[in-house]
Amino acid sequence: MDRISDLPDCILLHILSFLPTKTAFFTTVLSRRWTHLCHHLQHLEFNQIQFLNRNRIRSGFGSRERLFAIVNWILSRHRVPPIRTFRLTCCLDQFHEFTTVQGFIREVLGPNLQELDLQLSIFDFFDRKVVIPNGVFSCASLVTLRLSGDITFLSPSSPWCGYHLPSLKTLEMHDVAASIDDVAELLSHCTALETLILDLNCRVSEVGLRIHFPLSLKKLNFRSDFDPLRRTGIECRQQFPSICVSNLHNVEEATINVASRGFVLKFLVEFRWLRSLVLGNLVFTCLPQAPPDLIPEFTSLHRLELAVGCFDTRYIMNMLEKCPMLKVLVIVFITDFVNKDPHPSRRWEHPVKVPTCLASHLKVIKIKGYFESRDDREFFAYVLQHGLVLESLDIQVDRARAKELSLLPRSSKACQINFCRNQEKEEEEKEKEASSRARQQWRQQWQHLRTTRKNTIGTVTKNLNL
Amino acid sequence: MSGISDTERMITLKTVEGTLFDVKSSIAKDLKTVQAFIDDSDDDVTSPIPLPNVFTRELSRILDYLNNHHRFRSGIEKADEEMARYDAEFAKSMSHEELKALILAANYLNVKDLLEFLNQTVADVIQNKSVEFVRNFFGIENDYTPEEEEKLRNENEWAFNGVEQD
């Protein structure tokens, strides 16, 4: 069967671009043609973990040295064709290593760089950060920028910065040490931005908060824990004298996770054509107590996902009232929440009027990580009775409970109740989140090592002082 | 043809073996090569468009994929889980030879999303496999002598630790 002719170079290169560069380079021995190919890779991806030795003694230091040597070698040989993607994940220790990384970044910056992805962790307790070279923020060809870890950038107001990112479509920042105001300034120079993911733990100036999002924005994921010392379940005490967020009317999908009620409401009010909304666990600490008339109506919303710490049926029903066209409702239980039963004032109360979406649009209800509470039976009985177009209710419960729930009367003949065993669900979720989990795991791993080291050093210092 | 709305219009494609496929114009849009042909002919396409490099088996699979993905995207819930499951089954249902043939067809027809998926699948297949396996997969003839290969491995030693031994 000789129908299969050689796959052309462009396809082979495309395949190699999905592999971390270290893995791609092993193809250099396949044949002469392949040796040649690797040096034409335009997508480079390096992860320090791949450079760990089998015996892990002093592994951090050794693997970093090896990694840097290889990156240096590849970048120095790489003239044509130009680099389009550069991804680097590593952990840094000495100051000269910060400089090395900054050097790499400058090396790959150019009129052809389209994607830059940096995940840097610093292994110490001085709270040092790597400063991203300015050139990154004035790279006109950049389409995707992801920054995560112990990173910071110069404030836009300094005279050395000419922020200009006209091609940027995706911006992601996790844990980056930047004030919200600096981020806001940066955003004003990203005129084509479509996807924005911000996950920042930072302080906000007392004066207030002003973010004018790019009008082009379609997808927003905003998480900010302004008070990192806050204990779970307590609303953020920091009041923002003035909050202004604008230009959010083109956003179609949003995930909001902030612990300040005022802030959440400012966001919600600005969304006009929202089709999908996810409200995270931090929102659950503050929004349920808000008077319902402060929450706007979402006329285009098709999908709503709420994180809850307990079965706060009052919160859920209030939100349903606001979404007349809702098709999918997802309720996610946060498993590490302390109080499993809602405050008596948040208990189930028979609604005065059936929410519009329940009677005419709601087709799918999914409940994840569910654990039983006193109110659930009323809630399920209600939705099954009034959910006239309900097609499926997916929920994880044990067999006995499942039987009980399936016996409840339902108005929609087509309605199917799907019970999933916890194990299966967990596996499915694991597979789905594998890639984002890998990223998270990396961060957690190094965070843990950093904390351990901090604690060890702390103890040693303490002992010395005694 | 005037009067017929865009989504209803059917385009006919002809494979190497002469088999005819009727395709909705909304699906044909994803076959960029075909779409370019249509655009060039000023939208006046009545006779079947010949695809001299595409075999029936491949076109049938491609259309299957596109039809399903259109269905998933227009459903109520974005159906990400269902789509992922379909993609996994789709990839598993093919032998390596069939996978390569499909890549060539998708490349010729310029079906961007499918090509992205197929090439990612191949990348997943060859990751962490031995050199022999990968040579077999791509049908590569080794034009290095054992000494040359040994030398190359030593030079690029960093790329080889952690890889399955032959």
Side-chain angles (χ1 to χ4, degrees), chain B residues 21-84:
Chain B
F21 284 86
D22 283 329
V23 178
K24 282 192 238 176
S25 68
S26 57
I27 302 278
K29 276 201 171 60
D30 286 342
L31 306 165
K32 296 224 165 62
T33 309
V34 170
Q35 187 59 45
F37 186 95
I38 298 173
D39 292 339
D40 281 345
S41 330
D42 284 330
D43 273 357
D44 185 18
V45 199
T46 42
S47 51
I49 303 175
L51 303 172
N53 289 346
V54 186
F55 293 90
T56 306
R57 183 183 67 180
E58 272 66 58
L59 186 59
S60 161
R61 279 207 170 108
I62 292 174
L63 294 176
D64 202 40
Y65 183 88
L66 290 175
N67 277 319
N68 273 295
H69 270 238
H70 272 237
R71 198 168 54 85
F72 289 133
R73 263 178 278 150
S74 59
I76 338 153
E77 164 79 317
K78 251 194 315 173
D80 283 335
E81 294 170 24
E82 260 198 86
M83 193 149 80

Side-chain angles (χ1 to χ4, degrees), chain A residues 369-401:
Chain A
Y370 164 77
F371 46 77
E372 293 175 36
S373 66
R374 273 177 288 186
D375 278 351
D376 54 17
R377 203 184 171 285
E378 272 100 342
F379 176 80
F380 290 123
Y382 188 84
V383 299
L384 285 171
Q385 185 189 357
H386 295 277
L388 303 178
V389 296
L390 200 58
E391 283 176 10
S392 75
L393 167 59
D394 291 353
I395 178 169
Q396 289 166 236
V397 278
D398 61 49
R399 237 168 257 284
R401 209 71 176 75

Side-chain angles (χ1 to χ4, degrees), chain A residues 74-138:
Chain A
I74 290 181
L75 289 183
S76 64
R77 294 179 68 140
H78 213 109
R79 289 297 166 221
V80 171
I83 296 171
R84 290 203 192 283
T85 303
F86 186 74
R87 297 189 192 129
L88 178 65
T89 303
C90 69
C91 178
L92 306 172
D93 191 7
Q94 311 277 317
F95 186 70
H96 68 86
E97 289 162 355
F98 299 15
T99 320
T100 308
V101 171
Q102 288 163 337
F104 291 155
I105 299 170
R106 288 199 186 91
E107 184 85 32
V108 302
L109 277 180
N112 295 292
L113 189 67
Q114 290 176 337
E115 180 177 329
L116 182 61
D117 188 333
L118 302 168
Q119 290 189 73
L120 309 174
S121 283
I122 299 180
F123 210 32
D124 79 345
F125 65 116
F126 287 115
D127 229 18
R128 289 176 296 168
K129 309 284 175 204
V130 179
V131 180
I132 298 294
N134 285 351
V136 169
F137 300 107
S138 53

